[in-house]
Amino acid sequence: MKRKTYKKQKDNVEFPILTDGSGLMQNPVPPDDQTPSWSERKSRSTGLAQLTYEYFERARLEDQDIRSRADYLEREVLGFPMWPHEVVRGFAITSFFIGIILLLSAVAPPHIAAPANPSQTPAVILPDWYLYWSFGLLKLEPLNPALSILGGDKIMLDRTFGVLANLVVVGFLAALPFVNKGKARRPVEEPFWAAFGVAGVVFAFTVSVLSVKNLVPLNSHLLFDLTFILPVLFGIVFYSLLKTMREGYMYELNRRYYRLRPPKPYRPPKPPK
Amino acid sequence: MTPDLKEHYDYSKWLSEKELTPLEKTYLTILIWADQRLRIVDYLESMENLYYKINMQMPRSHTEQYNLDNKFWYWYPLFALGTFSVIAYIVAAISGALLGFYYSPATAGDPSVAYNQITYIMTDLNFGFMLRSIHRWSAQVMVAAVFLHMLRVYFVGAYKEPRELNWIIGIILISLTLMFGYTGYLLPWDQLSFWAGQIGVEMALSIPILGEWVAQLMFGGFSLGQATLQRMYILHVFVLPFAVTTVIAIHIGIVWMQGIAEPH
């Protein structure tokens, strides 16, 4: 899809940036005269509505300020054409995915167990595989602290502890963007958080194995310890690996960094008095 | 007061004067007929306005800034996982609707009606075995794709600054997906379903303060029975589909507005 090019503005005197959402004066599509601008709306309204319009006006100004200063918007093509590029790729991928589902369902169809019988508990009770981690978190009773203040009683029921463990895991995931802030995106840029993620994935696996511990030919105490040791171990290994990789990437990262902000000319440090 | 119709433009005359193919003529006739009643042109205009006026993109694009276009392709499979889960969801919805024609959530009888219906679907119904297999596998694939999608988002740091809200919506979605799986797991009412339900009731009861209330609401009591199966069925085929579809729409809408967080 070709559109008119944006030309970068050296100064905004001749073509002032409008803050009503219509953008630069030489926008491909001129604004509709009938639509009131944010400034007009602002001047007509009072109270909260006026504040809202004032904010919109400001937010638009910021957007357009960025656009007018950025040089990467100067280009002929705004995106790949929908047809045929995206449509063909989408169709191919969709067919492929549906094909996988059909193949799986043909190769391994599900079967049905004996009918429900409340009077007979089966030897193995399991949810579907994707709930193993949650099921495993219900079996953390050795971690439930027994406090001497309470006369050696546990702080809460074991099953309450397990349910709370689930809530803690999900709650921590939800809080993640507020815990780990910043602009870094690559795992090498933040070795700790990448290693933390790896440890989390490994813990999801080990705790899943813990949930089926009566099927695992291992001492249950050993299994319980491994559940917590293995994730930490993997975390440490990945942390050091990423740290090492980062040294190798340093050259490239620095180059990119200085491309954004050219280094200041070197000034010799002042001698101490 | 009835408006004088003679003032209106004579569209039939206009149509007959023009040289049109039958297809064009039919199209214009329908369009004029509908537009005179519904004023479609207004909506088209406003859509066009939207198209040109609302720039549904974040102002900065990383691919542009760092010229990463040529490196994006090998990440593509990981970035298709969200699409994959939507496709699996659609396949599950279609096969599930077809299964719903033959299933009935009743625990009466021995074995129960629900169990008998599943047996019927798997043995007597034409294509029933395949249908159930497709439904189950698309559900499994959806859950797997959603998990991997979450891992991808974590490891490329896509949950960060402008996208916190969508990350939280994603956590809600993955929980709803797991609930979808759980409620569906209980529907055949076989041994596994029953005892998985038993664990569910116990988990609900272990929630501090709210436990009994939650167990009543979700499972219809403290022991499993007709009420449980009925509730799981309604959750699975009525409540969750509406909820999940809505939340998916919001989730994808936000991705549309914010753009994809590109790898770099």
Side-chain angles (χ1 to χ4, degrees), chain A residues 35 67 72 75 97 105 108 110 113-114 116-117 120 122 126 128-130 173 180 182 184-186 190 193, chain B residues 53 55 60 64 66 76 84 115 133 136-137 140 154 156-157 159-160 167 181 185 189-191 195 206 264:
Chain A
T35 315
R67 287 206 178 93
Y72 48 83
R75 52 186 181 155
F97 284 166
S105 52
N117 182 0
Q120 180 210 342
L126 278 182
D128 247 349
W129 59 268
Y130 45 79
L173 275 180
N180 176 20
R185 289 277 187 75
R186 284 186 176 184
E190 282 188 329
W193 284 102
Chain B
K53 282 196 166 175
N55 189 2
R60 268 183 265 229
E64 289 167 0
Y66 293 114
Y76 199 81
F84 196 10
Y115 187 86
S133 185
R136 187 171 160 97
W137 270 108
Q140 308 265 322
Y154 179 87
V156 305
Y159 57 86
K160 284 184 176 180
W167 170 260
Y185 195 66
W189 212 242
D190 57 5
Q191 274 289 65
W195 292 97
S206 329
H264 54 281

Side-chain angles (χ1 to χ4, degrees), chain A residues 123-125 139 209-216:
Chain A
V124 180
I125 305 175
K139 300 186 176 177
V209 174
L210 181 73
S211 75
V212 290
K213 59 184 171 190
N214 45 0
L215 301 180
V216 179

Side-chain angles (χ1 to χ4, degrees), chain A residues 88-270:
Chain A
V88 167
R89 182 164 69 175
F91 184 72
I93 286 176
T94 308
S95 323
F96 179 66
F97 284 166
I98 292 179
I100 290 177
I101 294 174
L102 294 184
L103 178 70
L104 282 171
S105 52
V107 169
H111 292 276
I112 190 166
N117 182 0
S119 58
Q120 180 210 342
T121 313
V124 180
I125 305 175
L126 278 182
D128 247 349
W129 59 268
Y130 45 79
L131 285 175
Y132 282 4
W133 62 273
S134 171
F135 198 44
L137 287 176
L138 296 179
K139 300 186 176 177
L140 296 183
E141 62 269 11
L143 291 185
N144 193 0
L147 298 182
S148 52
I149 293 181
L150 302 174
D153 281 348
K154 291 193 169 180
I155 218 167
M156 61 184 94
L157 285 177
D158 281 339
R159 56 183 202 179
T160 310
F161 186 76
V163 171
L164 280 186
N166 274 282
L167 291 183
V168 166
V169 167
V170 175
F172 179 77
L173 275 180
L176 195 62
F178 308 101
V179 177
N180 176 20
K181 294 182 174 188
K183 293 282 176 212
R185 289 277 187 75
R186 284 186 176 184
V188 279
E189 285 176 305
E190 282 188 329
F192 172 76
W193 284 102
F196 182 82
V198 170
V201 174
V202 175
F203 181 65
F205 276 101
T206 52
V207 87
S208 298
V209 174
L210 181 73
S211 75
V212 290
K213 59 184 171 190
N214 45 0
L215 301 180
V216 179
L218 263 184
N219 180 303
S220 68
H221 293 292
L222 177 63
L223 186 63
F224 191 84
D225 294 342
L226 280 181
T227 303
F228 293 94
I229 292 171
L230 278 183
V232 175
L233 209 63
F234 271 85
I236 292 172
V237 168
F238 268 81
Y239 182 75
S240 35
L241 205 67
L242 287 169
K243 274 280 204 189
T244 318
M245 278 172 71
R246 191 158 78 161
E247 298 300 315
Y249 275 112
M250 233 24 184
Y251 171 73
E252 182 65 17
L253 283 177
N254 281 338
R255 214 161 59 104
R256 204 171 273 179
Y257 179 80
Y258 288 122
R259 195 186 293 158
L260 283 177
R261 299 169 222 187
K264 289 176 184 169
Y266 176 74
R267 285 194 196 122
K270 287 174 186 171

Side-chain angles (χ1 to χ4, degrees), chain B residues 22-250:
Chain B
L23 183 70
E24 286 169 344
K25 191 163 185 180
T26 316
Y27 170 72
L28 272 182
T29 312
I30 294 173
L31 184 69
I32 291 169
W33 188 89
D35 189 56
Q36 282 173 342
R37 283 153 186 80
L38 305 170
R39 257 297 172 241
I40 295 172
V41 66
D42 286 351
Y43 298 97
L44 284 181
E45 249 175 38
S46 62
M47 299 256 293
E48 195 171 309
N49 260 348
L50 267 181
Y51 176 78
Y52 285 115
K53 282 196 166 175
I54 300 182
N55 189 2
M56 295 221 182
Q57 283 272 320
M58 299 297 281
R60 268 183 265 229
S61 165
H62 217 90
T63 330
E64 289 167 0
Q65 210 168 346
Y66 293 114
N67 195 16
L68 289 169
D69 284 356
N70 53 345
K71 290 173 197 152
F72 187 70
W73 65 269
Y74 60 72
W75 291 98
Y76 199 81
L78 293 179
F79 281 72
L81 284 165
T83 311
F84 196 10
S85 28
V86 172
I87 292 170
Y89 180 60
I90 292 169
V91 173
I94 294 170
S95 55
L98 293 175
L99 282 175
F101 294 159
Y102 304 102
Y103 174 80
S104 51
T107 55
D110 184 33
S112 58
V113 174
Y115 187 86
N116 280 338
Q117 284 305 105
I118 300 284
T119 322
Y120 163 74
I121 287 172
M122 289 176 68
T123 52
D124 290 342
L125 181 67
N126 285 344
F127 296 109
F129 194 63
M130 180 180 105
L131 209 54
R132 178 161 184 252
S133 185
I134 290 174
H135 187 67
R136 187 171 160 97
W137 270 108
S138 55
Q140 308 265 322
V141 159
M142 180 182 171
V143 176
V146 165
F147 268 117
L148 294 175
H149 177 61
M150 189 177 84
L151 288 186
R152 194 278 290 168
V153 167
Y154 179 87
F155 281 110
V156 305
Y159 57 86
K160 284 184 176 180
E161 206 208 29
R163 301 187 173 79
E164 303 100 325
L165 184 65
N166 225 12
W167 170 260
I168 292 172
I169 291 175
I171 300 286
I172 294 169
L173 258 182
I174 203 172
S175 314
L176 287 177
T177 310
L178 294 182
M179 266 178 73
F180 235 132
Y182 180 76
T183 51
Y185 195 66
L186 259 59
L187 291 187
W189 212 242
D190 57 5
Q191 274 289 65
L192 284 174
S193 315
F194 186 86
W195 292 97
Q198 197 68 43
I199 293 171
V201 172
E202 279 168 25
M203 274 179 79
L205 283 174
S206 329
I207 300 171
I209 305 167
L210 294 176
E212 295 190 359
W213 184 79
V214 172
Q216 285 278 4
L217 183 70
M218 304 295 287
F219 294 93
F222 304 143
S223 61
L224 300 183
Q226 175 63 39
T228 316
L229 188 57
Q230 193 89 45
R231 278 169 201 233
M232 288 299 135
Y233 180 69
I234 290 302
L235 282 176
H236 192 77
V237 305
F238 184 78
V239 179
L240 284 173
F242 279 107
V244 170
T245 308
T246 312
V247 182
I248 286 178
I250 295 170

